[in-house]
């Protein structure tokens, strides 16, 4: 385990110690069971106290954890079959946003999401999970296909944001995102959105308009990254921790303002510690969300999706 | 270091000083010419020397576009509630107060009913001086209410954007205004009510990436800077200088992102023509 965050360190150390004792016990035949039990109890407490009191910044780091399950991991763990589809039919394909046809719990779904890489080579290929316009246009193409054949859409959000680049601007990054928001709000099939990692601004929202929004326990969702917010408002990048707190970006915050319908619990220590368990927790939430949505007539479904967006506001009135 | 020090000293006869002292002259930010202020005003706040379109207030915009006395402002009472109790180097509430002092408005958007060459329409106009025209809950709500009014009256919805994007100080609620306004635009489409989006200098971020790029007709003012990511962010990302004219209205026209570039002096006439087209009445 070479890849861990600062606040994970004491936990990792304790785990290593327990592992060592276990190995020594089996090698030398000594009985360390009392000591191991004691340490395991301590580990349990430590994990609980660390992960129930994470700061928004720590959650940001966890949401960006290089070992965190990504869209293709969830698809592999949750779906029975997956046929990835490529290209926007206009300009090209984009590997920062993947999608395709899948079978979930015996039924067809169209599934898509941002895709980060786990190492430098992958990250260059995936552009760190920051899609160009053709990524969003591919996503919309797949959603329209879902609509045409009457199957639900599942999206996974995990991006630092839409790619800021010359080509992206030339090809209408703003228009691509806007079009998705517009068309998703009227799509005539159920849409379930999973904020699985990093929900970075408009580039996240561009596949985030749906009937149910499930947010993983340690995922974050924000109008701007804490780093950018810090550099714009404090005029220095070092205030990201403060910005993360001020922006209210945690799953709990999303639930408080009605952006999240459900917080999906993560395994102890975060989703990256146990991909399988994270996926199984999500499976349960997805099954329930899809079952609920299936019973709603299309017209009602679309109208309540609109009303859901319509009602997100916070304003007063002064004569 | 004498030369360096000298640079810091303002010349006693700086153009800026002329403007402040006399109030009759104004320096064009583009061509740096000193122009008689009245001449600029008469010219729709466009530089008579180089055709640079000065940024204008929402009130000036309404005056240029709407028939005299026809504008009836709506929802002027809406105010931000500071839902996050946001404080960075300054309190959000203080920034709001400052915006109000600068513009005489409670937020960055002025909206209401108006007539253009006698034809009714709903206008939604950003004021960039109010926190960079950023879109938070009040701006989003006013746009949606404007659209709802358009739907009720079956008259075109016309927006004039000038915005840095979503308002950070309201966090995720601001982000959601992008989805909210875009969804509302789809209602216009369903009802067959036209939406003209006018992009003025500057239009960026969450405004570009939502309702502003969804107009049935998208118009830009000459040389307006329009984009998703700001030029500085892009430069930092690609680590090279951006080409001349990048993200200008003319660039967007060339790339197929806007329908037309319209000079400010022709804006009213153009909008009236578009309204007549969509009304499609005989005669």
């Amino acid at each position: 385990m070479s890849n861990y965050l600062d606040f994970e360190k004491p936990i990792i150390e304790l785990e290593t110690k327990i592992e060592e004792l276990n190995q020594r016990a089996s090698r030398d035949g000594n009985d360390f069971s009392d000591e191991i039990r004691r340490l395991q109890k301590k580990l349990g407490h430590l994990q609980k106290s660390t992960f129930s009191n994470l700061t928004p910044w720590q959650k940001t780091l966890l949401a960006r954890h290089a070992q965190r399950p990504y869209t293709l991991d969830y698809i592999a763990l949750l779906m029975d079959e997956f046929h990835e589809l490529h290209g926007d039919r206009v300009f090209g394909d984009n590997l920062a946003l993947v999608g395709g046809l899948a079978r979930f719990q015996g039924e067809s779904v169209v599934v898509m999401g941002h895709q980060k890489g786990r190492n430098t080579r992958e990250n260059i290929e995936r552009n760190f999970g920051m899609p160009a316009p053709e990524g969003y246009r591919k996503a919309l193409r797949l959603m329209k296909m879902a609509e045409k054949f009457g199957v639900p859409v599942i999206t996974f959000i995990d991006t630092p944001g839409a790619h800021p680049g010359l080509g992206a601007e030339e090809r209408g990054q703003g228009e691509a995102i806007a079009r998705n928001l517009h068309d998703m709000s009227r799509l005539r099939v159920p849409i379930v959105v999973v904020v699985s990692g990093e929900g970075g601004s408009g580039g996240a929202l561009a596949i985030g308009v749906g009937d149910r929004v499930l947010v993983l326990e340690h995922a974050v969702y924000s109008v701007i990254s804490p780093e950018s917010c810090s550099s714009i408002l404090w005029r220095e990048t070092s205030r990201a921790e403060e910005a993360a707190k001020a922006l209210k970006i945690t799953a709990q915050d999303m639930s408080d303002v009605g952006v999240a319908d459900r917080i999906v619990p993560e395994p102890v220590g975060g989703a990256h510690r146990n991909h399988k368990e994270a996926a199984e927790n999500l499976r349960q939430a997805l099954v329930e969300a899809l079952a609920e949505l299936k019973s709603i007539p299309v017209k009602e479904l679309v109208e309540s999706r609109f009303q859901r967006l319509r009602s997100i506001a916070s304003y007063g009135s002064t004569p | 270091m004498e030369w360096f020090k000298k640079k810091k000293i303002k010349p006693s006869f700086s153009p800026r000083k002329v403007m402040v002292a006399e109030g009759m002259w104004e320096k064009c930010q583009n061509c740096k010419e000193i122009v008689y202020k009245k001449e600029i005003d008469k010219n729709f706040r466009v530089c008579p020397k180089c055709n640079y379109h000065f940024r204008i207030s929402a009130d000036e915009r309404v005056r240029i576009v709407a028939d005299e006395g026809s504008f009836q402002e709506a929802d002027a009472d809406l105010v931000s509630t500071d839902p996050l109790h946001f404080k960075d180097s300054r309190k959000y509430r203080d920034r709001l107060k400052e915006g109000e002092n600068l513009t005489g408005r409670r937020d960055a958007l002025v909206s209401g009913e108006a007539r253009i060459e006698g034809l009714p329409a709903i206008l939604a106009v950003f004021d960039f001086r109010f926190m960079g025209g950023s879109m938070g809950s009040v701006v989003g709500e006013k746009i949606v209410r404007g659209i709802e009014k358009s739907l009720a009256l079956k008259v075109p919805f016309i927006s004039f954007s000038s915005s840095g994007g979503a308002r950070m100080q309201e966090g995720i609620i601001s982000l959601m205004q992008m989805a909210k306004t875009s969804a509302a635009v789809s209602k216009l489409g369903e009802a067959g009510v036209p939406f003209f989006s006018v992009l003025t200098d500057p239009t960026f971020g969450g405004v570009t990436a939502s309702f502003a790029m969804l107009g049935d007709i998208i118009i830009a003012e000459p040389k307006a800077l329009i984009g998703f990511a700001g030029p500085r962010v892009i430069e930092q990302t690609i680590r090279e200088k951006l080409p001349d004219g990048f993200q200008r209205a003319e660039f967007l026209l060339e790339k197929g992102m806007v329908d037309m570039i319209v000079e400010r002096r022709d804006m009213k006439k153009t909008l009236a023509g578009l309204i007549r087209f969509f009304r499609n009445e005989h005669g």
Side-chain angles (χ1 to χ4, degrees):
Chain A
M1 200 73 202
S2 60
N3 218 323
Y4 55 83
L5 303 167
D6 279 351
F7 59 88
E8 291 183 291
K9 206 173 166 185
I11 293 167
I12 308 288
E13 280 170 359
L14 209 52
E15 281 174 344
T16 314
K17 205 165 170 187
I18 293 168
E19 183 57 31
E20 275 170 17
L21 282 179
N22 270 324
Q23 278 176 9
R24 264 172 64 188
S26 59
R27 195 178 56 222
D28 310 340
N30 292 338
D31 184 17
F32 296 115
S33 54
D34 282 351
E35 177 69 357
I36 289 171
R37 240 194 318 273
R38 192 184 64 80
L39 289 177
Q40 264 164 346
K41 206 172 158 196
K42 196 174 157 192
L43 177 67
H45 284 304
L46 187 62
Q47 279 176 324
K48 216 175 156 192
S49 67
T50 306
F51 284 89
S52 57
N53 289 306
L54 292 175
T55 66
W57 178 246
Q58 286 173 326
K59 289 206 179 222
T60 305
L61 297 175
L62 213 54
R64 294 173 180 167
H65 201 293
Q67 300 305 320
R68 198 170 170 83
Y70 295 147
T71 298
L72 288 174
D73 299 315
Y74 282 116
I75 290 173
L77 288 163
L78 289 170
M79 310 288 166
D80 298 321
E81 231 180 280
F82 178 57
H83 306 279
E84 187 175 351
L85 303 177
H86 293 276
D88 69 347
R89 300 289 189 271
V90 179
F91 178 82
D93 191 31
N94 186 264
L95 298 177
L97 209 162
V98 298
L101 313 175
R103 299 279 294 167
F104 177 66
Q105 306 291 107
E107 293 193 45
S108 297
V109 294
V110 165
V111 60
M112 64 192 71
H114 305 100
Q115 180 65 34
K116 294 178 175 177
R118 247 183 251 292
N119 52 45
T120 311
R121 188 186 57 79
E122 278 178 20
N123 261 321
I124 289 167
E125 195 176 83
R126 303 281 182 194
N127 195 30
F128 300 86
M130 296 188 291
E134 41 282 9
Y136 295 114
R137 290 181 181 131
K138 169 171 69 180
L140 189 59
R141 180 175 77 84
L142 300 187
M143 287 187 237
K144 297 275 185 186
M145 193 191 311
E147 182 177 53
K148 186 170 163 185
F149 295 103
V151 300
V153 174
I154 299 172
T155 72
F156 287 88
I157 288 181
D158 188 17
T159 180
H163 178 62
L166 216 129
E169 293 293 318
E170 282 181 340
R171 298 192 296 279
Q173 187 71 286
E175 194 275 344
I177 295 170
R179 185 66 49 199
N180 281 18
L181 302 180
H182 179 273
D183 288 5
M184 285 183 92
S185 79
R186 311 306 290 162
L187 205 75
R188 296 172 61 78
V189 288
I191 305 171
V192 180
V193 176
V194 181
V195 184
S196 51
E198 195 180 6
S201 194
L205 184 64
I207 55 165
V209 176
D211 304 297
R212 292 289 182 277
V213 178
L214 315 175
V215 182
L216 264 75
E217 188 182 350
H218 302 307
V220 293
Y221 201 176
S222 179
V223 65
I224 185 169
S225 76
E227 288 91 340
S228 303
C229 180
S230 159
S231 79
I232 295 170
L233 291 182
W234 280 270
R235 303 205 174 273
E236 47 187 312
T237 46
S238 58
R239 310 291 281 269
E241 209 169 331
E242 238 171 293
K245 188 163 174 256
L247 285 165
K248 302 228 164 77
I249 59 177
T250 68
Q252 191 56 55
D253 295 322
M254 293 312 111
S255 176
D256 290 346
V257 293
V259 167
D261 297 288
R262 182 167 175 173
I263 298 174
V264 181
E266 293 189 21
V268 177
H272 64 287
R273 300 301 304 274
N274 192 336
H275 286 198
K276 220 170 166 177
E277 195 184 326
E280 285 315 307
N281 291 351
L282 182 57
R283 184 193 300 276
Q284 195 50 41
L286 282 172
V287 166
E288 286 172 28
L290 288 171
E292 262 179 74
L293 296 171
K294 223 168 115 182
S295 65
I296 304 171
V298 173
K299 220 178 148 189
E300 208 178 300
L301 182 78
V302 174
E303 185 53 28
S304 56
R305 191 185 305 147
F306 175 78
Q307 288 308 331
R308 174 198 181 94
L309 297 172
R310 178 72 187 83
S311 66
I312 298 176
S314 169
Y315 57 84
S317 165
T318 328
Chain B
M1 293 297 275
E2 194 56 30
W3 58 274
F4 186 70
K5 272 184 198 161
K6 253 191 180 160
K7 231 182 176 175
K8 277 190 171 173
I9 300 165
K10 270 192 183 165
S12 59
F13 195 74
S14 75
R16 194 175 174 78
K17 218 160 193 174
V18 172
M19 188 184 85
V20 175
E22 312 280 337
M24 288 170 66
W25 301 89
E26 224 171 309
K27 184 182 171 186
C28 173
Q29 290 166 34
N30 188 50
C31 68
K32 316 287 180 210
E33 285 277 340
I34 314 288
V35 190
Y36 194 40
K37 190 172 177 295
K38 270 197 184 148
E39 208 181 328
I40 301 173
D41 289 346
K42 214 172 60 196
N43 201 31
F44 303 95
R45 305 283 304 148
V46 174
C47 175
K49 309 271 186 217
C50 74
N51 202 32
Y52 172 73
H53 285 52
F54 284 70
R55 288 180 189 173
I56 56 174
S57 71
D59 287 321
E60 283 172 301
R61 178 72 63 186
V62 168
R63 218 173 301 134
I64 290 169
V65 169
D67 294 349
E68 206 180 330
S70 74
F71 184 65
Q72 293 175 305
E73 191 174 347
D75 307 314
D77 57 319
L78 299 192
V79 286
S80 172
T81 52
D82 185 13
L84 307 186
H85 307 289
F86 198 92
K87 185 176 171 290
D88 48 83
S89 53
R90 288 172 64 200
K91 278 189 192 152
Y92 175 36
R93 283 193 183 277
D94 293 342
R95 290 185 192 267
L96 287 168
K97 194 84 214 146
E98 185 191 83
E100 192 173 339
N101 291 340
L102 278 168
T103 62
R105 308 285 171 166
R106 295 196 171 84
D107 217 302
L109 189 94
V110 174
S111 59
E113 284 176 61
R115 285 183 178 268
I116 300 172
E117 294 189 1
L119 304 163
I122 302 296
L123 304 184
V125 186
F126 280 78
D127 199 317
F128 192 74
R129 296 171 303 164
F130 197 110
M131 292 189 72
S134 55
M135 176 163 73
S137 198
V138 171
V139 170
E141 180 68 22
K142 284 173 92 165
I143 286 171
V144 174
R145 287 192 189 186
I147 288 172
E148 285 166 349
K149 191 81 187 169
S150 275
L151 285 166
L153 300 176
K154 298 241 174 247
V155 301
F157 180 72
I158 307 175
S159 67
F160 294 86
S161 307
S162 178
S163 170
R167 185 173 294 170
M168 286 174 275
Q169 289 86 348
E170 290 183 22
I172 198 78
I173 295 175
S174 294
L175 186 71
M176 292 300 152
Q177 301 310 307
M178 292 170 60
K180 177 170 154 176
T181 53
S182 301
V185 170
S186 78
K187 295 250 167 185
L188 287 172
E190 275 184 359
V193 175
F195 166 33
F196 312 141
S197 173
V198 184
L199 312 175
T200 76
D201 187 56
T203 297
F204 276 93
V207 168
T208 303
S210 67
F211 73 93
M213 282 308 289
L214 295 171
D216 295 300
I217 307 292
I218 304 180
I219 300 170
E221 278 201 320
K223 297 193 181 77
L225 264 185
I226 300 154
F228 173 67
R232 248 179 310 162
V233 176
I234 299 172
E235 269 183 355
Q236 280 164 15
T237 311
I238 63 172
R239 296 208 179 85
E240 49 187 288
K241 203 117 186 69
L242 293 169
D244 272 351
F246 181 66
Q247 292 184 323
R248 295 273 170 207
E250 295 72 16
F251 171 88
L252 268 85
L253 185 73
E254 188 194 309
K255 298 296 171 191
M257 293 300 152
V258 299
D259 287 290
M260 54 178 110
I261 295 174
V262 174
E263 304 240 345
R264 198 171 284 162
R265 64 172 73 252
D266 299 327
M267 192 61 78
K268 183 172 183 172
K269 190 169 71 187
T270 305
L271 290 172
L274 291 173
I275 298 172
R276 276 191 290 271
F277 172 85
F278 286 96
R279 286 172 76 96
N280 199 15
E281 287 161 348
H282 289 287

